[in-house]
Amino acid sequence: MTDRPLTLMAVHAHPDDEAIGTGGILARYADEGVRTVLVTCTNGELGDAPGGLKPGDPGHDEAVVVPLRRRELEASCQVLGVSHLELLGYHDSGMEGWAQNDAPGSFWRAPVAEAGHRLADLMRTYEPQVVVTYDENGFYGHPDHIQANRVTHAALDECGIPDKLYYTAVARSLLRGFRERLAESGVELPAEVEENPDFGTPDELITTTVDCQAVAGRKFASLRAHASQSDNIFFLQMGQETFASVMGSESFVRVFDRTGAPVPEDDLFAGLR
């Protein structure tokens, strides 16, 4: 259907998001010879500093956090076989309600059209057939995730390049079993999941589930590459075997499609090869 190489572009907010939401598809499609492009919108300044220091703690230094997280992101990309890493370089906006949401230079404050134009330029460079990002609520309401959704749509409106757009998703039915498996392993869910009964995606909205079992070990390793953020990556507490059993597939909502491929799908490139 096209002479350009098959290309997957994942648009994420922070270093480590690529591993959590799309580590499986990045590794699987890289193994299949698909060109994989990761766009990370912020530098992750408001992540943990060495020693688990949180933003606002004495000794939390963004000048230390940024290069550390950059190295970890590059290590994760190497594990996953990501072909190209692109950094937009916006300042991390922090969690919902933080004062940093409205700080000058934060991604949340960035003009959507401006950031969208920058992303559109990357789409013109790589010409991805498939783009993956978060839903309108940023999956769980994170400002930078919401902004990544808005910026992605602005880019698509400007360049019109991708054939398919997907949102990352976790089926609510799977999440119920997920809670049980974690409880058996003695692992607690993050507060944003445990305290939000609407977390996850209604099963009937999910259009695409990709089997990533063969690369689950690499997805786990990519998470482990973000060692400075280990307090936030509760998945690592499961151990690799349990992780592979519950995170061996990744689900998506197909939002836009030019191929006419029927759903449900088991391949993001259905209709393109």
Side-chain angles (χ1 to χ4, degrees), residues 143-161:
D144 285 331
H145 292 199
I146 294 171
Q147 187 74 332
N149 170 278
R150 294 172 177 171
V151 167
T152 299
H153 277 280
L156 267 63
D157 288 345
E158 178 179 328
C159 71
I161 287 174

Side-chain angles (χ1 to χ4, degrees), residues 256-269:
F256 172 78
D257 171 65
R258 285 198 185 101
T259 70
V263 293
E265 306 169 309
D266 59 6
D267 179 11
L268 298 181
F269 288 88

Side-chain angles (χ1 to χ4, degrees), residues 120-184:
D121 280 345
L122 292 175
M123 291 182 181
R124 293 185 185 100
T125 296
Y126 294 107
E127 297 187 311
Q129 292 91 351
V130 175
V131 172
V132 177
T133 192
Y134 317 97
D135 64 18
E136 299 92 337
N137 189 46
F139 197 57
Y140 62 93
H142 194 298
D144 285 331
H145 292 199
I146 294 171
Q147 187 74 332
N149 170 278
R150 294 172 177 171
V151 167
T152 299
H153 277 280
L156 267 63
D157 288 345
E158 178 179 328
C159 71
I161 287 174
D163 296 298
K164 306 175 88 173
L165 172 67
Y166 292 90
Y167 293 161
T168 57
V170 175
R172 287 183 183 165
S173 61
L174 178 65
L175 194 58
R176 288 192 290 272
F178 189 46
R179 285 189 175 94
E180 295 169 1
R181 289 297 304 272
L182 290 186
E184 292 170 2

Side-chain angles (χ1 to χ4, degrees), residues 130-252:
V130 175
V131 172
V132 177
T133 192
Y134 317 97
D135 64 18
E136 299 92 337
N137 189 46
F139 197 57
Y140 62 93
H142 194 298
D144 285 331
H145 292 199
I146 294 171
Q147 187 74 332
N149 170 278
R150 294 172 177 171
V151 167
T152 299
H153 277 280
L156 267 63
D157 288 345
E158 178 179 328
C159 71
I161 287 174
D163 296 298
K164 306 175 88 173
L165 172 67
Y166 292 90
Y167 293 161
T168 57
V170 175
R172 287 183 183 165
S173 61
L174 178 65
L175 194 58
R176 288 192 290 272
F178 189 46
R179 285 189 175 94
E180 295 169 1
R181 289 297 304 272
L182 290 186
E184 292 170 2
S185 302
V187 178
E188 294 184 5
L189 280 170
E192 62 265 19
V193 179
E194 192 62 54
E195 297 170 5
N196 184 359
D198 295 326
F199 189 87
T201 305
D203 288 42
E204 62 271 17
L205 298 182
I206 291 176
T207 60
T208 313
T209 300
V210 181
D211 182 359
C212 301
Q213 189 66 233
V215 295
R218 284 164 58 198
K219 181 174 179 177
F220 187 82
S222 73
L223 282 166
R224 196 164 49 201
H226 294 279
S228 69
Q229 308 305 304
S230 59
D231 285 350
N232 294 330
I233 303 174
F234 75 101
F235 298 102
L236 295 177
Q237 300 172 32
M238 304 180 198
Q240 184 169 327
E241 184 176 347
T242 300
F243 178 87
S245 70
V246 298
M247 301 292 289
S249 65
E250 292 178 353
S251 295
F252 304 89

